[in-house]
C-alpha cells in the first residue's frame, strides 16, 4: 500500500462513527482494565481502546505478518507466542 493509501485509510477509520456494544468479560479482563485505569488515569472506555489496540497490534504482527514479537527487559528477552 502506498503512503497516500495508508493516509486515506487512516482518515476513513478516524471518521467512522463509534459503535456501542455490550459484552460480558471475564474477571481477568476486568482486572486488566482496572490496572490500566489505575496506572494511566483513563476512563474505562479509553482503557478498553488501548488494550484492544495493543492486542490488535500483537495479533497482526504474529498471526497475519508472521513476525516475531520479542519483549526485552532487565532480566533478558522473550518471544511472544500466540496459540
Amino acid at each position: 500500500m502506498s503512503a497516500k493509501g495508508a493516509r486515506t485509510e487512516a482518515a476513513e477509520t478516524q471518521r467512522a462513527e463509534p459503535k456501542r456494544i455490550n459484552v460480558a468479560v471475564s474477571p481477568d479482563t476486568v482486572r486488566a482494565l482496572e490496572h490500566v485505569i489505575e496506572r494511566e488515569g483513563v476512563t474505562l472506555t479509553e482503557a478498553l481502546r488501548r488494550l484492544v489496540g495493543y492486542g490488535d497490534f500483537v495479533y497482526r504482527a504474529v498471526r497475519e505478518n508472521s513476525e516475531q514479537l520479542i519483549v526485552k527487559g532487565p532480566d533478558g528477552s522473550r518471544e511472544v507466542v500466540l496459540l
Side-chain angles (χ1 to χ4, degrees):
M1 177 183 303
S2 71
K4 182 180 178 186
R7 283 192 303 269
T8 302
E9 184 176 316
E12 289 173 4
T13 300
Q14 289 176 348
R15 285 191 295 256
E17 291 295 318
K19 183 173 183 172
R20 186 171 299 272
I21 60 173
N22 294 316
V23 296
V25 296
S26 70
D28 287 340
T29 301
V30 172
R31 281 191 290 279
L33 289 164
E34 289 172 343
H35 183 80
V36 173
I37 291 166
E38 291 170 12
R39 298 278 185 189
E40 303 293 326
V42 295
T43 64
L44 173 62
T45 300
E46 181 58 24
L48 181 61
R49 284 184 186 128
R50 289 181 186 192
L51 291 178
V52 169
Y54 300 153
D56 183 52
F57 171 80
V58 170
Y59 180 84
R60 287 174 187 261
V62 174
R63 290 287 188 177
E64 293 181 4
N65 299 333
S66 301
E67 298 172 337
Q68 286 183 311
L69 191 60
I70 307 296
V71 177
K72 292 184 180 182
D75 296 330
S77 63
R78 60 190 171 165
E79 180 179 358
V80 175
V81 178
L82 298 181
L83 302 176

